């Protein structure tokens, strides 16, 4: 039968497993490449190139990084700071706004929803944004340049509106009859009732902050404020620069040779910077889908 | 306005002010596209220069090539992404009783979604780098490999593959959830009537999924002028040789602004992108409304 109730040997089911398994192996190959290169000595890499399975194990790259962990730890510090501060601020402000839009008895609910929704349809573009951040808000080389831009996104507000609209109207009505103010209702009743929604939002937002590089690329030159992703990009750029200007490397033009990561150290850095996120976030995959499906509900 | 309305307005006011500054101010600031920007004068103090910035861009060769690249890549991404994701979701449905296996497959397919485009840059470099790349070492005699980072003709395929690898797990999850939401009695009745698996997929599953497919495709078409900046900026490793096939509107604006400091011109290109983008969203929504009013965005 169609749903696979039949007990007879079913060749097509085996085929389905085979195809899916093959695709998953192909999807994993790039990760093997990174991990295996980080575990291979640079000499082997130079001789035989990158490989998917390491032939000569070497933990030298990791030992090298752990001996001088300052850059990596500092980038972790920056990323953790913007993630924590950004997520807390975002969950609070987004749920406040989303809650107001979810209240169908609010007189201005339609214009307010449009006010949020329109920013999804049209934007001034990169240049006015850049001028706003640098010329008017003076956020260049400030950690807030990586926090403020993601605090409220219209998409997240509409997700929260969708979530919070599920709170029964009777609860809010009865609180109003008891004379509670809207602030009291929101902070004392709505927020505690919607912790699952807040957790989902917090997950989506923290994922976005953790992977931040766009604003860092635009606004951060200060080495002390470089987050993880930008750190990886800077390492790649240094390597490119040296590959294209070998004589520059010899004279130590822009980079001191001691800070030059070897190929395997470079890959070990990728593993250490990007790895933890890839282990933690997939556990929450159903919340990512939930967020999207609720968000696409019609307003 | 009752007292409660004022209180609700106060509750929303941080968000309202935030969007006023971060979203609406830049919309007004887009007038810088019609000005010669002077750093000390700001947007509003700088002198007007009419359509000069636009003329410069629309007469350049880049106008056609970056528009073509942006639309072409997005169409390829939407088409392939949708077809592959639906295919994988249907395959998973065939074995959905085996929850453990489905969960493992979903997790593996979803993993690339959590790697940033910068990590993808490293991965692609690992495969293609001329000195140590996996592909050149494995498939070509020494020193006879392809110089990938100077050969633009290969990059439409490379970037499409990278994008599919990165995003297909997410779409598969959504379509799988959509398939699981279909009432199974439809299949049971069809199976009793002697329908084959393929017939059930074609005659029941795909039609039942079509509203979801339509919404997702149309939302994607609405942002057809908006390229995924990270993919196009990082993955080709900033190689100028590849610009003919890797430069899209977003990277062009970024490079004109940051690398060249051409503020007026890059603002003009950005405004052009926003305006045609708005047109695309409105058109897409209009089409959905005609097909099925319930699925429209507004």
């Amino acid at each position: 039968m169609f749903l696979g109730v039949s007990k007879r040997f079913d060749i097509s089911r085996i085929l389905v497993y085979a195809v899916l398994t093959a695709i998953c192996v192909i999807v994993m190959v790039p990760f093997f490449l990174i991990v295996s290169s980080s575990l291979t000595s640079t000499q082997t890499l130079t001789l035989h190139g990158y490989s998917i399975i390491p032939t000569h194990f070497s933990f030298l790259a990791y030992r090298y990084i752990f001996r001088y962990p300052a850059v990596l730890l500092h980038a972790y510090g920056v990323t953790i700071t913007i993630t924590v501060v950004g997520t807390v601020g975002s969950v609070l402000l987004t749920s406040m706004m989303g809650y107001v839009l979810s209240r169908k008895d609010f007189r201005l609910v339609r214009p307010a929803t449009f006010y949020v929704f329109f920013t999804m349809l049209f934007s001034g573009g990169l240049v006015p944004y850049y001028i706003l951040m640098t010329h008017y808000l003076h956020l260049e080389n400030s950690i807030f340049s990586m926090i403020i831009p993601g605090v409220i996104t219209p998409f997240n507000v509409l997700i929260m509106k969708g979530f919070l609209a599920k709170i029964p109207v009777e609860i809010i009505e009865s609180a109003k009859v008891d004379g509670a103010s809207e602030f009291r209702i929101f902070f004392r009743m709505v927020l505690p009732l919607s912790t699952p929604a807040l957790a989902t939002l917090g997950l989506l937002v923290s994922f976005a902050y953790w992977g931040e590089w766009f604003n860092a690329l635009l606004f951060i030159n200060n080495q002390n404020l470089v987050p993880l992703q930008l750190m990886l990009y800077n390492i790649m750029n240094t390597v490119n620069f040296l590959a294209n200007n070998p004589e520059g490397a010899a004279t130590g033009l822009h980079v001191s040779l001691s800070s030059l990561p070897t190929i395997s150290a470079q890959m070990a850095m990728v593993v250490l910077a990007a790895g933890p996120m890839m282990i933690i976030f997939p556990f929450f995959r159903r919340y990512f889908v939930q967020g999207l499906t609720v968000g696409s509900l019609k307003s | 306005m009752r007292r409660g309305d004022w209180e609700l307005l106060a509750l929303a006011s941080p968000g309202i002010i935030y969007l006023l500054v971060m979203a609406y101010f830049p919309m007004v600031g887009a007038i810088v596209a019609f000005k010669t920007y002077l750093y000390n004068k700001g947007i509003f103090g700088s002198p007007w220069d009419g359509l000069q910035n636009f003329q410069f861009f629309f007469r350049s060769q880049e106008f056609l090539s970056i528009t073509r690249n942006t639309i072409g890549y997005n169409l390829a991404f939407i088409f392939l992404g949708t077809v592959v994701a639906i295919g994988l979701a249907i395959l998973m449905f065939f074995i959905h009783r085996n929850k453990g296996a489905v969960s493992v497959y979903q997790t593996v397919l979803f993993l690339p979604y959590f790697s940033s485009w910068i990590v993808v840059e490293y991965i692609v470099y690992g495969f293609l780098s001329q000195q140590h790349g996996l592909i050149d070492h494995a498939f070509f005699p020494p020193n006879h490999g392809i110089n990938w980072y100077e050969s633009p003709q290969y990059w439409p395929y490379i970037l499409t593959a990278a994008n599919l690898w990165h995003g297909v797990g997410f779409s598969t999850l959504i379509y799988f959830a959509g398939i699981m939401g279909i009432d199974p009695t439809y299949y049971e009745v069809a199976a009793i009537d002697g329908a084959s698996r393929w017939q059930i997929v074609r005659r029941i599953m795909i039609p039942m999924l079509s509203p979801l497919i339509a919404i997702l495709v149309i939302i994607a078409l609405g942002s057809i002028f908006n390229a995924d900046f990270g993919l196009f900026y990082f993955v080709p490793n900033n190689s100028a040789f590849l610009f003919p096939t890797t430069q899209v509107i977003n990277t062009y604006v970024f490079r004109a602004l940051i690398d060249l400091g051409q503020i007026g011109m890059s603002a003009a290109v950005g405004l052009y992108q926003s305006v045609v983008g708005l047109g695309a969203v409105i058109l897409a929504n209009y089409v959905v409304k005609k097909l099925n009013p319930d699925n429209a965005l507004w």
Side-chain angles (χ1 to χ4, degrees), chain A residues 1 16 48 76 86 96 99 126 147 165 177 200 207 211 240 270:
Chain A
M1 258 193 59
V16 169
H48 304 290
Y76 258 104
M96 277 162 74
Y99 169 68
L126 178 71
I147 295 174
V177 170
T200 305
F207 173 59
N240 280 340
V270 175

Side-chain angles (χ1 to χ4, degrees), chain A residues 115 123 148 229 232 240 285, chain B residues 18 24 107 116 122 237 274:
Chain A
Y115 181 82
S123 83
I148 292 176
Q229 300 297 328
L232 288 181
N240 280 340
R285 67 160 190 274
Chain B
Y18 178 91
Y24 285 96
T107 306
S116 71
Y122 277 91
N237 215 356
S274 292

Side-chain angles (χ1 to χ4, degrees), chain A residues 1-2 4 6-15, chain B residues 197:
Chain A
M1 258 193 59
F2 179 69
S6 103
K7 287 198 181 73
R8 74 186 160 81
F9 179 73
D10 191 342
I11 188 111
S12 56
R13 282 172 67 81
I14 293 173
L15 206 68
Chain B
R197 219 174 254 194

Side-chain angles (χ1 to χ4, degrees), chain B residues 63-79 160 220-228 232 245 247-250 272-273 276-277 280:
Chain B
F63 161 55
L64 279 180
S65 87
I66 64 174
T67 307
R68 180 205 65 197
N69 286 350
T70 308
I71 296 177
Y73 276 111
N74 274 331
L75 284 179
F77 294 171
I78 295 167
F79 178 75
T160 305
L221 284 175
S223 49
I224 195 160
F225 289 98
N226 198 16
D228 193 337
F232 294 95
T245 58
Q247 186 84 289
V248 288
I249 301 177
N250 300 58
Y272 149 74
Q273 182 185 30
V276 291

Side-chain angles (χ1 to χ4, degrees), chain A residues 1-5 10 12-13 16-17 19-21 23-24 26-31 33-34 45-52 93 96-97 99-100 103 105-108 114-119 121-133 135-137 148-152 154 176 179-183 186-187 207 211 213-214 217-218 229-230 232-233 235-237 239-240 243 263 266-267 270 274 277-278 281-282 285 288-289 292-293 296 298-299, chain B residues 1-5 7-12 14-27 29-30 32 37 39-44 88 91-98 101 103 105-119 121-123 125-127 129 131-134 137 165 170 173-174 177 184 187-188 191 197 200 205 216 229-230 233-234 237-238 253-254 257-258 263 266-267 270-271 274-275 278 281 293-294 296-298:
Chain A
M1 258 193 59
F2 179 69
L3 292 171
V5 190
D10 191 342
S12 56
R13 282 172 67 81
V16 169
Y17 280 110
V19 170
L20 284 173
T21 307
I23 290 172
C24 284
I26 294 171
V27 164
M28 288 304 284
V29 162
F31 296 120
L33 177 85
I34 296 274
L45 278 180
T46 326
L47 227 66
H48 304 290
Y50 296 101
S51 64
I52 296 167
L93 294 178
M96 277 162 74
M97 183 128 206
Y99 169 68
V100 174
R103 284 282 300 268
D105 57 331
F106 176 45
R107 259 193 92 131
L108 300 175
F114 180 78
Y115 181 82
V116 174
F117 184 60
F118 185 72
T119 63
L121 301 181
F122 189 73
S123 83
L126 178 71
V127 179
Y129 171 70
Y130 182 81
I131 297 173
L132 167 74
M133 293 287 283
H135 184 86
Y136 292 96
L137 301 178
I148 292 176
V151 166
I152 296 181
K176 276 204 287 193
S181 73
E182 294 291 353
F183 302 102
F186 176 71
F187 287 105
F207 173 59
W213 49 260
F214 187 70
L217 192 63
L218 279 171
Q229 300 297 328
L230 191 66
L232 288 181
Y233 179 64
I235 292 174
M236 188 65 152
N237 266 355
V239 172
N240 280 340
I263 305 170
Q266 197 188 331
M267 287 303 189
V270 175
M277 169 157 127
M278 305 203 50
F281 278 106
R285 67 160 190 274
F288 282 89
V289 180
L292 191 105
T293 42
S296 59
K298 208 171 149 179
S299 43
Chain B
M1 293 274 285
R2 295 168 291 116
R3 190 182 65 119
D5 287 329
E7 285 173 359
L8 286 173
L9 192 62
L11 211 49
I16 291 172
I17 294 164
Y18 178 91
L19 289 177
L20 189 70
V21 176
M22 300 300 291
Y24 285 96
F25 178 83
M27 285 185 208
V32 73
Y37 186 74
Y39 283 92
N40 51 350
K41 295 261 173 79
I43 292 177
F44 302 101
L88 288 169
L91 285 182
M92 283 181 195
F93 177 75
F94 286 148
I95 55 160
H96 75 271
R97 297 246 167 131
N98 186 347
S103 170
Y105 290 139
Q106 286 184 336
T107 306
V108 170
L109 288 173
F110 201 18
L111 266 184
Y113 184 79
F114 298 100
S115 52
S116 71
W117 288 124
I118 295 163
V119 172
E121 179 185 16
Y122 277 91
I123 291 170
Y125 190 75
F127 279 103
S129 127
Q131 293 159 302
H132 317 299
L134 180 71
H137 265 274
W165 177 80
F170 192 78
L173 277 180
I174 295 167
Y187 313 132
E188 280 154 22
R197 219 174 254 194
I200 291 175
M205 208 180 275
L216 293 180
F229 175 79
Y233 188 76
F234 295 122
N237 215 356
N238 235 338
V253 173
F254 184 92
L257 173 71
I258 302 296
I263 297 211
S266 53
L271 188 59
S274 292
V275 170
L278 179 64
V281 179
D294 289 341
L297 280 174
W298 69 85

